[in-house]
Amino acid sequence: MGEDPGVAALYYQLQLDVFWTTVTSWLHALAVADANGIKAEGFLPYVSPQLAQMPVFIGYYSGRIDVGNYAGDIERLSMAVASIDHVVETARDSGVDTSLPAKVLEIFQRGVVDGRSEDSVTSLVEIFKKAVA
């Protein structure tokens, strides 16, 4: 990874960022599933194909993100806001802690306030670049 040993450590932290946020969302989904009588093994056939599509999603969008192309031609942040709002409602209705999806909704809404509602959800990378007070 070059002469700077910090670069390898940074790549490791970037991978952990994706790993832990993915695991946390899976665990939250399992809590909602369990509250509705669905066991982890019962959810597995549904979540596995979705996770298997992530390399396709990431592969498609990585090049676009690198050049600042956040066109909402495939999906839009406004659609994502509606979607994650339903997740928050489902968790709440299930008696499950809503803090994780509520935080995601908050981040999505920051993108809308920033004028990105018709952009791809990938435009949130620009929102994350801005430190929150």
Side-chain angles (χ1 to χ4, degrees):
M1 306 226 85
E3 294 183 26
D4 182 352
V7 174
L10 176 59
Y11 271 87
Y12 178 67
Q13 293 306 315
L14 297 172
Q15 291 170 329
L16 287 177
D17 187 352
V18 173
F19 177 78
W20 287 120
T21 53
T22 302
V23 167
T24 305
S25 67
W26 173 65
L27 294 172
H28 184 268
L30 291 180
V32 174
D34 187 67
N36 289 279
I38 301 168
K39 297 296 180 193
E41 290 286 333
F43 181 51
L44 184 60
Y46 299 92
V47 72
S48 294
Q50 183 178 18
L51 290 172
Q53 287 299 310
M54 289 309 292
V56 174
F57 180 89
I58 292 168
Y60 177 78
Y61 281 110
S62 288
R64 292 175 72 149
I65 290 168
D66 282 346
V67 297
N69 177 358
Y70 307 117
D73 54 349
I74 305 295
E75 45 67 44
R76 291 180 184 86
L77 183 56
S78 58
M79 294 169 25
V81 168
S83 178
I84 195 66
D85 188 49
H86 290 300
V87 173
V88 172
E89 289 175 18
T90 301
R92 183 181 309 112
D93 291 348
S94 300
V96 173
D97 180 342
T98 63
S99 60
L100 180 62
K103 190 59 159 178
V104 174
L105 177 59
E106 176 189 314
I107 293 164
F108 285 12
Q109 289 170 333
R110 284 176 37 211
V112 169
V113 168
D114 198 54
R116 299 181 177 279
S117 64
E118 296 308 305
D119 292 345
S120 166
V121 69
T122 59
S123 67
L124 291 173
V125 73
E126 298 299 330
I127 301 304
F128 284 123
K129 290 178 183 179
K130 300 174 186 178
V132 177

